[in-house]
């Protein structure tokens, strides 16, 4: 099955375009930063890869963790980390590196846009809605002298995590209203 950049059905297209606009400013800023990294490497492959953070509105999600897990199971590409509060759920997607080699790539605007497209298509026709924020940043896989680097052409499927780290946080203003201290709990999801 071939995947198109913009979904064909009108409802999916509208959802895609709305999500696209959410992270567009961050995407453009990251493109600029990636160009700087690429120019500093004088055309050599870089070890900087995009990191995507998506926030969706979810009231009382910290009290409905089973429901959050169920909704997140709809995603084809699993996030590396999940942060849950009483007001939102935040998902972070990072490249899942191989154990023996450090990944590098010829960073291009087109490559970044393909990864962003993969991120957006991951949310089409899921119940992980409404998305309220998309941030795009860079994370570095430093290549140590004793580790070999491997040139890759990243695609969003390489961002799928085998397990996701789930953090549950009580927001400070909610904790004060309830007479509690801020709480942070960590879980491993498979």
């Amino acid at each position: 099955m071939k995947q198109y950049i913009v979904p064909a059905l009108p409802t999916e297209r509208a959802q895609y375009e709305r999500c696209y606009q959410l992270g567009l400013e961050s995407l453009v800023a990251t493109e600029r930063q990636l160009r700087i990294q690429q120019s500093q490497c004088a055309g050599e492959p870089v070890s900087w890869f995009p990191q995507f953070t998506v926030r969706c509105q979810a009231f009382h999600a910290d009290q409905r963790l089973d429901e959050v897990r169920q909704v997140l199971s709809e995603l084809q590409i699993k996030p590396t980390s999940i942060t849950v509060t009483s007001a939102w759920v935040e998902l972070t997607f990072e490249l899942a590196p191989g154990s023996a080699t450090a990944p590098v790539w010829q960073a291009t605007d087109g490559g970044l846009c393909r990864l962003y497209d993969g991120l957006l298509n991951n949310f089409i026709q899921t119940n992980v809605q409404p998305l309220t924020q998309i941030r795009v940043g860079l994370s570095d896989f430093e290549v140590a002298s004793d580790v070999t680097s491997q040139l890759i052409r990243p695609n969003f499927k390489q961002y799928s995590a085998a397990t996701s780290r789930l953090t549950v946080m009580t927001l400070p203003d909610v904790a004060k209203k309830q007479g509690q201290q801020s709480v942070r709990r960590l879980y491993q999801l498979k």
Side-chain angles (χ1 to χ4, degrees):
M1 184 170 154
K2 225 176 180 176
Q3 186 161 10
Y4 298 97
I5 295 285
V6 179
L9 299 175
T11 54
E12 290 177 358
R13 181 178 296 134
Q15 185 182 18
Y16 179 95
E17 289 173 358
R18 188 180 91 57
C19 292
Y20 182 84
Q21 291 298 321
L22 275 177
L24 187 58
E25 186 177 325
S26 180
L27 179 70
V28 170
T30 300
E31 282 177 342
R32 276 190 235 114
Q33 188 63 33
L34 200 51
R35 275 191 225 117
I36 290 168
Q37 294 299 329
Q38 187 70 54
S39 68
Q40 289 176 349
C41 291
E44 291 293 315
V46 295
S47 58
W48 290 89
F49 287 88
Q51 173 184 331
F52 303 97
T53 304
V54 177
R55 185 177 284 187
C56 65
Q57 186 177 23
F59 295 110
H60 306 293
D62 59 338
Q63 298 170 11
R64 302 178 300 154
L65 292 179
D66 289 336
E67 189 177 328
V68 169
R69 287 184 183 110
Q70 177 65 33
V71 169
L72 294 179
S73 70
E74 297 175 15
L75 295 174
Q76 291 180 6
I77 309 300
K78 306 299 182 213
T80 51
S81 68
I82 304 161
T83 303
V84 178
T85 71
S86 59
W88 44 260
V89 174
E90 190 169 86
L91 312 170
T92 301
F93 296 88
E94 295 179 285
L95 182 70
S99 57
T101 61
V104 294
W105 69 311
Q106 284 299 141
T108 64
D109 292 349
L112 179 58
C113 288
R114 278 191 303 279
L115 292 171
Y116 188 63
D117 175 63
L119 171 78
L120 299 180
N121 279 304
N122 196 37
F123 289 96
I124 299 298
Q125 289 190 326
T126 67
N127 289 318
V128 184
Q129 301 294 332
L131 301 183
T132 57
Q133 185 181 61
I134 297 176
R135 295 186 312 271
V136 183
L138 294 173
S139 53
D140 185 18
F141 288 90
E142 289 188 37
V143 181
S145 59
D146 60 339
V147 176
T148 59
S149 60
Q150 178 185 5
L151 182 64
I152 65 169
R153 183 175 184 210
N155 65 57
F156 196 67
K157 289 179 182 172
Q158 293 168 313
Y159 277 66
S160 191
T163 61
S164 299
R165 187 182 75 241
L166 174 66
T167 304
V168 180
M169 297 176 61
T170 303
L171 297 175
D173 59 332
V174 173
K176 287 178 188 175
K177 288 179 187 175
Q178 296 175 352
Q180 304 171 350
Q181 294 180 348
S182 293
V183 179
R184 184 176 180 176
R185 296 175 286 191
L186 294 175
Y187 301 91
Q188 287 289 90
L189 294 180
K190 294 192 181 196

